[in-house]
C-alpha cells in the first residue's frame, strides 16, 4: 500500500446490503427536502419548515437525526443569508430575495442520510442565484470524484476547481464527513485540496461520504453565534451550502440522497434501487 493511502482509524466499509439500507434512509431525506423546498416562500417561518420536515421524516417511519443531536432543537438546519450552516429553525420569517439553506438528516433502521439544498425565497438577485448554482455545481463535481480507486483529496480538488475561478470564499473549517450508523464518521472530507488531487485514502466500494461544499460571496471566515450553533460569515457575506450522501460502488458514485441516485446530474448509470 502506497504511503498516505491508508484509511484513517474509524472509517467503515459498508456491505452492498448495508448500502441498500442507507439508500432507503437517503430517500427519506430526499423526499423530505422536496417537501420542505415546496413550502419555501416569503412569509413562511423556518419553524414551519421544520415541522414539515419532522412530519415527513416520521411519516416515513424514520427519525430526525438532527433533533436532540448535542441538544440541537430542530429536525432541519435553516440558514438564511449570512448564516452558512447550523441555523436553528424558529420564528424567523423568510423574506423575498433571501437565500435559504436547508440541511436535513434522517435515521432509518439505524442508518443515516444527510443532505442539504440552497433555495431562493421568491425572486433573488442574480449574484445570489449564481453563488448557489456554482456551489451546487461544485457539489456534483465532488460527487463525480467519489469513484472506486480514486483518492479522498480528489473530492476537495474537484470542489475547489469549480469554486475558485468565481472568487467565492470556500469554507475550510467545516467539511464533509463519513456517514453510516452515525451521522458523522471519519474521515473528514475537505472542500479543498492544498496538496492537489491523488492524496489520502483510497475510495473503495462500500465507503460512504457526505460531500458538502459551503461557499460565500466574500471571505471564507466564519464565527459561531452565541446560540452555540449558527455559523455566520464574519464579513456578513451571503452563503450557500449543498450536500449529498454518496456511496462508492464498483460502478461509480451512487447518490443515496438524490431521488434518481444521481443519474441525471452525473450522466452515468447508477444502481437502480
Ligand atoms: Mg447535513
Ligand atoms: Mg453533513
Amino acid at each position: 500500500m502506497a504511503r498516505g493511502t491508508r484509511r484513517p482509524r474509524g472509517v467503515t466499509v459498508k456491505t452492498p446490503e448495508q448500502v441498500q439500507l442507507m439508500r432507503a434512509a437517503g430517500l427519506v431525506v430526499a423526499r423530505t427536502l422536496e417537501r420542505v423546498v415546496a413550502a419555501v416562500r416569503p412569509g413562511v417561518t423556518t419553524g414551519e419548515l421544520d415541522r414539515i420536515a419532522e412530519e415527513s421524516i416520521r411519516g416515513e417511519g424514520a427519525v430526525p437525526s438532527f433533533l436532540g443531536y448535542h441538544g440541537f432543537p430542530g429536525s432541519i438546519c435553516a440558514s438564511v443569508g449570512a448564516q452558512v450552516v447550523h441555523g436553528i429553525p424558529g420564528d424567523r420569517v423568510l423574506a423575498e430575495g433571501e437565500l435559504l439553506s436547508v440541511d436535513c438528516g434522517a435515521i432509518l433502521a439505524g442508518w443515516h442520510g444527510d443532505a442539504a439544498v440552497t433555495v431562493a425565497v421568491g425572486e433573488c438577485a442574480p449574484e445570489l442565484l449564481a453563488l448557489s448554482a456554482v456551489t451546487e455545481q461544485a457539489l456534483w463535481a465532488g460527487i463525480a470524484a467519489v469513484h472506486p480507486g480514486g483518492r479522498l483529496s480528489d473530492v476537495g480538488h474537484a470542489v475547489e476547481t469549480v469554486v475558485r475561478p468565481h472568487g467565492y470564499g470556500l469554507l475550510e473549517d467545516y467539511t464533509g464527513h463519513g456517514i453510516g450508523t452515525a451521522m458523522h464518521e471519519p474521515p473528514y472530507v475537505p472542500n479543498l485540496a492544498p496538496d492537489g488531487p491523488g492524496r489520502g485514502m483510497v475510495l473503495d466500494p462500500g465507503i460512504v461520504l457526505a460531500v458538502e461544499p459551503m461557499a460565500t460571496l466574500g471571505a471564507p471566515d466564519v464565527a459561531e453565534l452565541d446560540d452555540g450553533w449558527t455559523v455566520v460569515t464574519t464579513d456578513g457575506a451571503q452563503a450557500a451550502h449543498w450536500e449529498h450522501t454518496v456511496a462508492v460502488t464498483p460502478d461509480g458514485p451512487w447518490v443515496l440522497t438524490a431521488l434518481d441516485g444521481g443519474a441525471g446530474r452525473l450522466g452515468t448509470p447508477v444502481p437502480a434501487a
Side-chain angles (χ1 to χ4, degrees), residues 66 103 114-115 175-177 179 183-184 210-212 241 243 245:
F66 293 7
D103 196 345
D114 185 8
T175 70
H177 49 90
I179 180 169
M183 179 159 58
H184 296 128
V211 180
E212 49 179 318
H241 174 216
E243 178 180 24
T245 298

Side-chain angles (χ1 to χ4, degrees), residues 163-210:
V163 173
R164 290 289 185 216
H166 296 273
Y168 298 144
L170 190 56
L171 264 68
E172 298 179 17
D173 296 342
Y174 291 80
T175 70
H177 49 90
I179 180 169
T181 53
M183 179 159 58
H184 296 128
E185 293 184 355
Y188 292 110
V189 182
N191 290 308
L192 63 176
D195 299 322
R199 310 272 178 152
M201 72 174 202
V202 175
L203 302 177
D204 292 316
I207 299 277
V208 185
L209 304 174

Side-chain angles (χ1 to χ4, degrees), residues 45-67:
T45 67
T46 54
E48 288 171 66
L49 299 179
D50 185 59
R51 277 189 290 280
I52 290 168
E54 182 171 1
E55 275 179 31
S56 168
I57 292 167
R58 295 198 191 280
E60 301 241 14
V63 174
S65 52
F66 293 7
L67 191 60

